Amino acid sequence: MEQSVVDSAIKEALNNKILKIEEYFNADALEFCGSLIEGAVGFFKKHIENLKIEKDLKETLIVILTTNGGSAQAVIKIVNILRHHYKKVIFIVPNFAYSAGTLLCMSGDDIYMDYSSVLGPIDPQIQNKEGRLVPALNYLDKVNELIEKAKNGTLTDAEFVILKEFDVAELRDYEQARDLAVDLLKKWLVEYKFKNWILRESSQQKVTLEYKNKRAEEIAIELGNTSKWHTHSYPIDVKELSAMKLKIENYSQNNELKGLIDSYYNMLSDYIRKNGASYFIHTRRGIEWY
Protein backbone atom coordinates (compact mmCIF):
# COMPACT_ATOMS: atom_id res chain seq x y z
CA MET A 1 0.00 0.00 0.00
CA GLU A 2 2.79 2.42 0.97
CA GLN A 3 4.64 1.73 -2.29
CA SER A 4 1.43 2.36 -4.24
CA VAL A 5 0.96 5.72 -2.52
CA VAL A 6 4.54 6.76 -3.31
CA ASP A 7 4.14 5.64 -6.92
CA SER A 8 0.92 7.63 -7.30
CA ALA A 9 2.60 10.71 -5.81
CA ILE A 10 5.49 10.48 -8.28
CA LYS A 11 3.10 10.09 -11.21
CA GLU A 12 1.12 13.11 -10.08
CA ALA A 13 4.31 15.15 -9.73
CA LEU A 14 5.45 14.10 -13.24
CA ASN A 15 2.05 15.06 -14.65
CA ASN A 16 2.26 18.49 -13.02
CA LYS A 17 5.72 19.02 -14.46
CA ILE A 18 4.80 17.97 -18.01
CA LEU A 19 1.71 20.20 -17.79
CA LYS A 20 3.98 23.18 -17.08
CA ILE A 21 6.00 22.38 -20.21
CA GLU A 22 2.75 22.20 -22.18
CA GLU A 23 1.68 25.58 -20.81
CA TYR A 24 5.01 27.14 -21.73
CA PHE A 25 4.68 26.08 -25.38
CA ASN A 26 0.84 26.08 -25.55
CA ALA A 27 1.13 22.55 -26.89
CA ASP A 28 0.61 18.88 -26.13
CA ALA A 29 3.69 17.06 -24.81
CA LEU A 30 4.88 13.48 -25.05
CA GLU A 31 8.02 12.01 -23.52
CA PHE A 32 9.61 8.87 -24.98
CA CYS A 33 12.65 6.98 -23.76
CA GLY A 34 13.75 3.81 -25.54
CA SER A 35 14.78 2.31 -28.86
CA LEU A 36 12.99 3.47 -32.01
CA ILE A 37 11.99 0.06 -33.32
CA GLU A 38 8.71 -1.43 -34.49
CA GLY A 39 7.40 -1.92 -30.95
CA ALA A 40 7.74 1.81 -30.25
CA VAL A 41 5.39 2.74 -33.10
CA GLY A 42 2.36 1.40 -31.23
CA PHE A 43 3.37 3.39 -28.14
CA PHE A 44 3.35 6.64 -30.10
CA LYS A 45 0.07 5.87 -31.88
CA LYS A 46 -1.78 4.87 -28.71
CA HIS A 47 -0.71 7.81 -26.57
CA ILE A 48 -1.07 10.48 -29.26
CA GLU A 49 -4.56 9.26 -30.10
CA ASN A 50 -5.33 9.50 -26.37
CA LEU A 51 -4.27 13.14 -26.39
CA LYS A 52 -6.45 13.89 -29.40
CA ILE A 53 -9.60 12.65 -27.62
CA GLU A 54 -9.77 15.84 -25.59
CA LYS A 55 -11.78 18.87 -26.72
CA ASP A 56 -8.99 21.42 -26.32
CA LEU A 57 -7.03 20.28 -29.38
CA LYS A 58 -3.56 21.71 -29.90
CA GLU A 59 -1.80 22.11 -33.25
CA THR A 60 1.70 21.68 -31.76
CA LEU A 61 3.29 18.62 -30.16
CA ILE A 62 6.39 18.67 -27.95
CA VAL A 63 8.37 15.40 -28.07
CA ILE A 64 10.87 15.01 -25.23
CA LEU A 65 13.17 12.35 -26.63
CA THR A 66 15.87 10.08 -25.23
CA THR A 67 17.05 7.21 -27.44
CA ASN A 68 20.08 5.18 -28.48
CA GLY A 69 18.59 4.85 -31.96
CA GLY A 70 16.70 2.23 -33.92
CA SER A 71 15.49 1.64 -37.46
CA ALA A 72 14.67 4.16 -40.18
CA GLN A 73 11.50 2.21 -41.00
CA ALA A 74 10.16 2.70 -37.46
CA VAL A 75 11.04 6.39 -37.62
CA ILE A 76 9.08 6.80 -40.88
CA LYS A 77 5.98 5.35 -39.22
CA ILE A 78 6.40 7.54 -36.14
CA VAL A 79 6.80 10.69 -38.26
CA ASN A 80 3.66 9.76 -40.22
CA ILE A 81 1.74 9.46 -36.93
CA LEU A 82 3.06 12.75 -35.55
CA ARG A 83 2.32 14.68 -38.73
CA HIS A 84 -1.14 13.18 -39.15
CA HIS A 85 -2.20 14.73 -35.86
CA TYR A 86 -0.09 17.90 -35.55
CA LYS A 87 0.84 20.79 -37.81
CA LYS A 88 3.97 21.56 -35.80
CA VAL A 89 6.30 19.19 -33.98
CA ILE A 90 9.09 20.34 -31.66
CA PHE A 91 11.75 17.98 -30.33
CA ILE A 92 13.42 18.56 -26.97
CA VAL A 93 16.59 16.55 -26.29
CA PRO A 94 17.52 16.96 -22.60
CA ASN A 95 20.23 14.29 -22.79
CA PHE A 96 20.86 12.31 -26.01
CA ALA A 97 19.20 11.13 -29.21
CA TYR A 98 21.53 8.99 -31.32
CA SER A 99 21.35 7.57 -34.83
CA ALA A 100 17.68 7.06 -35.77
CA GLY A 101 16.87 9.47 -32.92
CA THR A 102 18.86 12.16 -34.73
CA LEU A 103 16.94 11.30 -37.89
CA LEU A 104 13.63 11.65 -36.03
CA CYS A 105 14.67 15.06 -34.68
CA MET A 106 15.34 16.24 -38.23
CA SER A 107 11.62 15.80 -38.96
CA GLY A 108 10.80 18.51 -36.43
CA ASP A 109 10.00 22.16 -37.03
CA ASP A 110 12.39 23.01 -34.17
CA ILE A 111 14.98 21.18 -32.08
CA TYR A 112 15.67 22.30 -28.50
CA MET A 113 18.91 21.30 -26.75
CA ASP A 114 21.08 22.68 -24.00
CA TYR A 115 24.88 22.81 -23.75
CA SER A 116 25.09 19.20 -22.49
CA SER A 117 22.61 17.64 -24.94
CA VAL A 118 23.87 15.59 -27.88
CA LEU A 119 22.70 14.05 -31.13
CA GLY A 120 24.66 11.43 -33.07
CA PRO A 121 25.68 10.45 -36.60
CA ILE A 122 22.82 9.13 -38.75
CA ASP A 123 23.70 5.45 -38.65
CA PRO A 124 20.44 3.49 -38.52
CA GLN A 125 20.46 0.03 -37.01
CA ILE A 126 19.15 -2.97 -38.89
CA GLN A 127 18.62 -6.56 -37.83
CA ASN A 128 21.37 -8.93 -38.94
CA LYS A 129 20.96 -12.65 -39.63
CA GLU A 130 21.51 -13.44 -35.93
CA GLY A 131 18.58 -11.16 -35.06
CA ARG A 132 20.73 -8.45 -33.44
CA LEU A 133 20.37 -4.76 -34.20
CA VAL A 134 23.67 -3.52 -35.66
CA PRO A 135 24.83 -0.10 -36.92
CA ALA A 136 24.90 -0.34 -40.70
CA LEU A 137 27.72 2.11 -41.38
CA ASN A 138 30.18 0.36 -39.08
CA TYR A 139 29.85 -2.82 -41.12
CA LEU A 140 30.11 -1.00 -44.45
CA ASP A 141 33.21 0.89 -43.32
CA LYS A 142 34.91 -2.34 -42.24
CA VAL A 143 34.12 -4.09 -45.52
CA ASN A 144 35.40 -1.11 -47.53
CA GLU A 145 38.58 -1.10 -45.46
CA LEU A 146 39.18 -4.79 -46.16
CA ILE A 147 38.42 -4.35 -49.87
CA GLU A 148 40.99 -1.54 -50.07
CA LYS A 149 43.55 -3.77 -48.36
CA ALA A 150 42.81 -6.52 -50.87
CA LYS A 151 43.38 -4.07 -53.75
CA ASN A 152 46.69 -2.97 -52.22
CA GLY A 153 47.81 -6.55 -51.54
CA THR A 154 48.00 -5.99 -47.78
CA LEU A 155 45.06 -8.18 -46.73
CA THR A 156 46.10 -10.77 -44.15
CA ASP A 157 44.84 -14.36 -44.19
CA ALA A 158 42.73 -13.66 -41.10
CA GLU A 159 41.19 -10.58 -42.74
CA PHE A 160 40.49 -12.60 -45.88
CA VAL A 161 38.47 -15.06 -43.80
CA ILE A 162 36.51 -12.16 -42.24
CA LEU A 163 35.80 -10.62 -45.66
CA LYS A 164 34.73 -13.97 -47.08
CA GLU A 165 32.22 -14.42 -44.24
CA PHE A 166 30.27 -11.23 -45.06
CA ASP A 167 26.88 -11.92 -46.64
CA VAL A 168 26.48 -9.90 -49.88
CA ALA A 169 22.71 -9.60 -49.45
CA GLU A 170 23.17 -8.42 -45.86
CA LEU A 171 25.69 -5.81 -46.98
CA ARG A 172 23.19 -4.58 -49.55
CA ASP A 173 20.66 -4.15 -46.73
CA TYR A 174 23.20 -2.01 -44.88
CA GLU A 175 23.76 0.15 -47.99
CA GLN A 176 20.04 0.63 -48.46
CA ALA A 177 19.60 1.59 -44.79
CA ARG A 178 22.37 4.18 -45.15
CA ASP A 179 20.89 5.65 -48.33
CA LEU A 180 17.38 5.71 -46.86
CA ALA A 181 18.56 7.63 -43.79
CA VAL A 182 20.27 10.26 -45.94
CA ASP A 183 17.25 10.63 -48.24
CA LEU A 184 14.84 10.96 -45.30
CA LEU A 185 17.00 13.54 -43.55
CA LYS A 186 17.18 15.68 -46.70
CA LYS A 187 13.44 15.36 -47.34
CA TRP A 188 12.35 16.17 -43.77
CA LEU A 189 14.73 19.08 -43.31
CA VAL A 190 13.35 20.79 -46.41
CA GLU A 191 9.72 19.89 -45.69
CA TYR A 192 9.64 20.79 -41.99
CA LYS A 193 12.76 22.36 -40.43
CA PHE A 194 13.34 24.73 -43.36
CA LYS A 195 9.63 25.36 -44.00
CA ASN A 196 9.61 28.92 -42.66
CA TRP A 197 13.17 29.79 -43.65
CA ILE A 198 12.77 32.90 -45.79
CA LEU A 199 16.08 34.81 -45.75
CA ARG A 200 19.73 33.74 -45.54
CA GLU A 201 21.34 34.69 -42.24
CA SER A 202 24.34 36.56 -43.65
CA SER A 203 23.26 38.13 -46.94
CA GLN A 204 19.52 38.43 -46.24
CA GLN A 205 18.94 37.01 -49.72
CA LYS A 206 15.74 35.07 -50.33
CA VAL A 207 16.11 31.34 -49.62
CA THR A 208 15.16 29.29 -52.67
CA LEU A 209 14.07 25.65 -52.71
CA GLU A 210 17.33 24.85 -54.47
CA TYR A 211 19.29 26.46 -51.65
CA LYS A 212 17.29 24.55 -49.02
CA ASN A 213 18.00 21.27 -50.82
CA LYS A 214 21.71 22.12 -51.01
CA ARG A 215 21.89 22.93 -47.30
CA ALA A 216 19.98 19.73 -46.40
CA GLU A 217 22.36 17.64 -48.48
CA GLU A 218 25.41 19.23 -46.81
CA ILE A 219 23.99 18.45 -43.36
CA ALA A 220 23.12 14.88 -44.38
CA ILE A 221 26.62 14.27 -45.70
CA GLU A 222 28.17 15.70 -42.54
CA LEU A 223 25.99 13.66 -40.17
CA GLY A 224 26.66 10.50 -42.18
CA ASN A 225 30.44 11.00 -42.31
CA THR A 226 31.67 8.00 -40.33
CA SER A 227 35.32 8.76 -41.11
CA LYS A 228 34.86 11.95 -39.09
CA TRP A 229 32.74 10.62 -36.20
CA HIS A 230 34.30 7.11 -36.06
CA THR A 231 31.61 5.63 -33.83
CA HIS A 232 27.86 5.03 -33.96
CA SER A 233 27.31 6.90 -30.70
CA TYR A 234 29.66 9.86 -31.11
CA PRO A 235 28.12 12.74 -29.09
CA ILE A 236 27.56 15.76 -31.39
CA ASP A 237 26.80 18.82 -29.29
CA VAL A 238 25.11 22.15 -30.05
CA LYS A 239 28.35 23.84 -31.10
CA GLU A 240 29.17 21.14 -33.65
CA LEU A 241 25.61 21.08 -34.98
CA SER A 242 25.63 24.87 -35.32
CA ALA A 243 28.94 24.65 -37.20
CA MET A 244 27.07 22.53 -39.77
CA LYS A 245 24.69 25.49 -40.13
CA LEU A 246 21.89 23.52 -38.51
CA LYS A 247 19.79 25.82 -36.37
CA ILE A 248 19.31 24.51 -32.84
CA GLU A 249 17.29 26.31 -30.16
CA ASN A 250 19.79 26.35 -27.29
CA TYR A 251 17.83 26.75 -24.06
CA SER A 252 20.91 26.81 -21.81
CA GLN A 253 20.46 30.50 -20.98
CA ASN A 254 16.66 30.40 -20.81
CA ASN A 255 16.35 29.93 -17.06
CA GLU A 256 12.60 29.42 -17.07
CA LEU A 257 12.54 26.74 -19.77
CA LYS A 258 15.73 25.05 -18.55
CA GLY A 259 14.24 24.88 -15.07
CA LEU A 260 11.04 23.27 -16.37
CA ILE A 261 12.85 20.70 -18.51
CA ASP A 262 15.56 19.82 -15.96
CA SER A 263 13.05 19.46 -13.13
CA TYR A 264 10.86 17.14 -15.19
CA TYR A 265 13.67 15.12 -16.74
CA ASN A 266 15.59 14.56 -13.51
CA MET A 267 12.51 13.20 -11.75
CA LEU A 268 11.60 11.15 -14.82
CA SER A 269 15.09 9.61 -15.02
CA ASP A 270 14.93 8.55 -11.37
CA TYR A 271 11.48 7.02 -11.92
CA ILE A 272 12.64 5.10 -15.02
CA ARG A 273 15.67 3.71 -13.13
CA LYS A 274 13.45 2.76 -10.19
CA ASN A 275 11.18 0.72 -12.46
CA GLY A 276 13.96 -0.73 -14.63
CA ALA A 277 12.08 0.26 -17.78
CA SER A 278 13.48 -0.39 -21.27
CA TYR A 279 10.73 1.65 -22.92
CA PHE A 280 8.95 4.54 -21.27
CA ILE A 281 6.32 6.93 -22.60
CA HIS A 282 4.50 9.71 -20.75
CA THR A 283 1.78 12.22 -21.54
CA ARG A 284 -0.55 14.08 -19.20
CA ARG A 285 -3.10 11.30 -19.86
CA GLY A 286 -0.94 8.37 -18.91
CA ILE A 287 2.37 6.59 -18.30
CA GLU A 288 3.36 3.27 -19.79
CA TRP A 289 6.56 1.23 -19.68
CA TYR A 290 8.02 -2.23 -19.97
Side-chain angles (χ1 to χ4, degrees):
M1 178 65 72
E2 183 180 345
Q3 182 62 39
S4 178
V5 171
V6 171
D7 197 61
S8 295
I10 294 172
K11 287 181 180 178
E12 184 178 355
L14 285 172
N15 279 345
N16 289 335
K17 291 178 185 297
I18 205 170
L19 280 169
K20 289 180 180 178
I21 294 173
E22 290 186 329
E23 289 169 9
Y24 182 92
F25 286 98
N26 187 29
D28 290 335
L30 175 148
E31 185 282 337
F32 178 80
C33 180
S35 297
L36 296 167
I37 57 176
E38 189 63 34
V41 177
F43 269 110
F44 276 88
K45 183 173 184 290
K46 172 183 174 181
H47 287 271
I48 286 176
E49 286 180 351
N50 251 345
L51 285 172
K52 302 306 285 190
I53 290 172
E54 297 188 358
K55 292 180 181 179
D56 182 23
L57 298 179
K58 298 291 193 296
E59 293 186 345
T60 301
L61 176 69
I62 307 299
V63 179
I64 304 166
L65 182 66
T66 305
T67 180
N68 278 315
S71 77
Q73 288 80 2
V75 170
I76 292 171
K77 292 180 180 180
I78 290 167
V79 171
N80 288 342
I81 292 167
L82 302 184
R83 290 297 174 173
H84 176 79
H85 291 286
Y86 294 94
K87 288 184 178 179
K88 184 174 183 179
V89 178
I90 295 172
F91 287 93
I92 297 177
V93 182
N95 194 353
F96 60 87
Y98 292 123
S99 186
T102 301
L103 186 60
L104 179 57
C105 287
M106 297 301 151
S107 74
D109 296 80
D110 292 306
I111 304 168
Y112 281 72
M113 301 169 63
D114 83 350
Y115 72 94
S116 65
S117 308
V118 295
L119 301 182
I122 51 167
D123 183 8
Q125 299 174 22
I126 66 171
Q127 199 171 58
N128 67 7
K129 57 188 176 184
E130 284 82 32
R132 294 186 296 111
L133 284 175
V134 296
L137 296 186
N138 283 3
Y139 275 76
L140 291 176
D141 283 351
K142 188 60 181 178
V143 169
N144 289 332
E145 177 192 324
L146 295 178
I147 289 173
E148 281 301 311
K149 282 190 170 185
K151 287 179 181 178
N152 298 330
T154 58
L155 191 71
T156 66
D157 290 341
E159 288 172 332
F160 174 77
V161 173
I162 294 171
L163 184 59
K164 189 178 176 183
E165 288 298 312
F166 277 108
D167 186 310
V168 175
E170 197 169 17
L171 290 174
R172 182 56 184 151
D173 286 342
Y174 297 157
E175 290 174 337
Q176 289 177 328
R178 173 199 62 198
D179 295 343
L180 176 61
V182 169
D183 288 345
L184 288 172
L185 187 146
K186 288 158 59 177
K187 174 181 181 291
W188 287 335
L189 278 177
V190 172
E191 189 172 352
Y192 301 119
K193 188 89 171 65
F194 297 165
K195 180 174 58 181
N196 298 317
W197 187 18
I198 308 299
L199 298 174
R200 299 191 198 182
E201 297 86 342
S202 54
S203 65
Q204 295 297 296
Q205 289 179 292
K206 186 177 180 181
V207 176
T208 63
L209 179 59
E210 181 183 7
Y211 188 78
K212 290 181 181 181
N213 284 321
K214 181 175 179 292
R215 175 67 65 84
E217 184 169 11
E218 289 169 352
I219 293 169
I221 290 170
E222 190 78 359
L223 285 173
N225 185 357
T226 51
S227 62
K228 176 178 180 178
W229 310 116
H230 299 298
T231 175
H232 172 78
S233 55
Y234 181 91
I236 307 174
D237 65 14
V238 173
K239 288 183 180 178
E240 289 174 302
L241 292 166
S242 298
M244 298 178 203
K245 298 181 181 178
L246 179 66
K247 185 181 178 184
I248 302 294
E249 304 297 331
N250 187 343
Y251 63 84
S252 300
Q253 303 304 318
N254 184 332
N255 292 333
E256 180 185 3
L257 181 57
K258 182 171 172 56
L260 292 175
I261 294 171
D262 286 355
S263 176
Y264 171 72
Y265 192 72
N266 290 339
M267 177 176 282
L268 179 83
S269 299
D270 288 342
Y271 190 64
I272 290 173
R273 282 194 294 270
K274 170 180 170 289
N275 288 284
S278 299
Y279 294 86
F280 194 99
I281 196 162
H282 176 218
T283 72
R284 66 177 183 271
R285 291 184 58 83
I287 292 175
E288 187 173 1
W289 73 85
Y290 70 82

